[in-house]
Amino acid sequence: MSKFKKKKDGGTPAISTASLPDIVFMLLFFFMVATVMKDNDLKIQNNLPKADQVTKLEKKDRVIFIFAGKPHQKYQKQYGEGARIQLNDRLSAVSDIRNFILAERAARDPELEKVLTTSLKIDKDAKMGLVGEIKQELRKMDALKINYTTTKGSVLD
């Protein structure tokens, strides 16, 4: 009769790991799609002015960005309180624009060199003298396509 005895300690069955690779790959694809790479870490204050007639640039790969404004409070001890220029991730002087434009042109396709647009993201409280100096350097580099980035809104506000 010992053949027909029931097991009293049945326990729980083992968990199937057959679907585990599917779950891992779904999570991997989700994070690959949902993650956005950060372009620049802004070290300056950049409150853009408002404009009522704006158009959007279609092809972002043909745009070179130059930021200008006062440094954020955490950078003011290091760089001072005056308006500064940010090229990529570093604060620079106006004289550095030449090397920056040359490096950006070299990094892009030679066919796109004639259609590159320089977008100026200038803080609304920045002085016009700084903007004039930036434009003078761009003229020397023959970077004559300039775009001023603004936010949409009423000019009178």
Side-chain angles (χ1 to χ4, degrees):
M1 286 276 170
S2 64
K3 287 186 185 178
F4 299 108
K5 284 186 181 177
K6 289 187 178 180
K7 289 184 181 178
K8 292 184 180 176
D9 187 23
T12 58
I15 297 173
S16 173
T17 59
S19 63
L20 191 59
D22 294 336
I23 294 170
V24 169
F25 281 113
M26 280 193 312
L27 284 172
L28 177 68
F29 286 131
F30 170 76
F31 286 115
M32 285 174 53
V33 171
T35 302
V36 176
M37 300 302 282
K38 191 172 184 181
D39 287 339
N40 290 339
D41 182 25
L42 277 181
K43 296 180 179 179
I44 61 168
Q45 297 174 7
N46 202 303
N47 298 324
L48 297 175
K50 295 185 179 199
D52 54 2
Q53 297 179 2
V54 294
T55 57
K56 188 174 181 179
L57 289 175
E58 296 299 323
K59 299 182 178 176
K60 298 279 185 173
D61 63 332
R62 299 178 180 182
V63 180
I64 301 170
F65 292 101
I66 297 177
F67 300 92
K70 291 182 181 178
H72 278 292
Q73 289 182 352
K74 62 183 176 181
Y75 297 110
Q76 283 183 357
K77 287 182 181 178
Q78 186 176 3
Y79 297 109
E81 294 184 15
R84 301 287 301 222
I85 299 169
Q86 181 175 340
L87 306 172
N88 286 339
D89 280 338
R90 61 185 176 87
L91 293 177
S92 306
V94 176
S95 59
D96 296 333
I97 292 176
R98 178 180 181 84
N99 293 333
F100 173 70
I101 295 293
L102 288 173
E104 288 292 319
R105 284 180 179 170
R108 311 267 167 96
D109 286 335
E111 301 156 357
L112 295 178
E113 187 173 326
K114 300 221 188 279
V115 294
L116 284 177
T117 302
T118 306
S119 181
L120 301 179
K121 290 190 171 188
I122 310 291
D123 186 61
K124 66 182 177 182
D125 296 327
K127 302 291 183 197
M128 193 60 199
L130 178 64
V131 177
E133 291 175 13
I134 294 170
K135 287 172 57 176
Q136 287 295 331
E137 283 295 315
L138 292 173
R139 280 189 202 125
K140 291 177 188 175
M141 290 301 306
D142 200 32
L144 302 177
K145 287 185 75 174
I146 298 174
N147 172 41
Y148 294 97
T149 304
T150 63
T151 57
K152 194 169 188 174
S154 175
V155 179
L156 302 175
D157 290 340

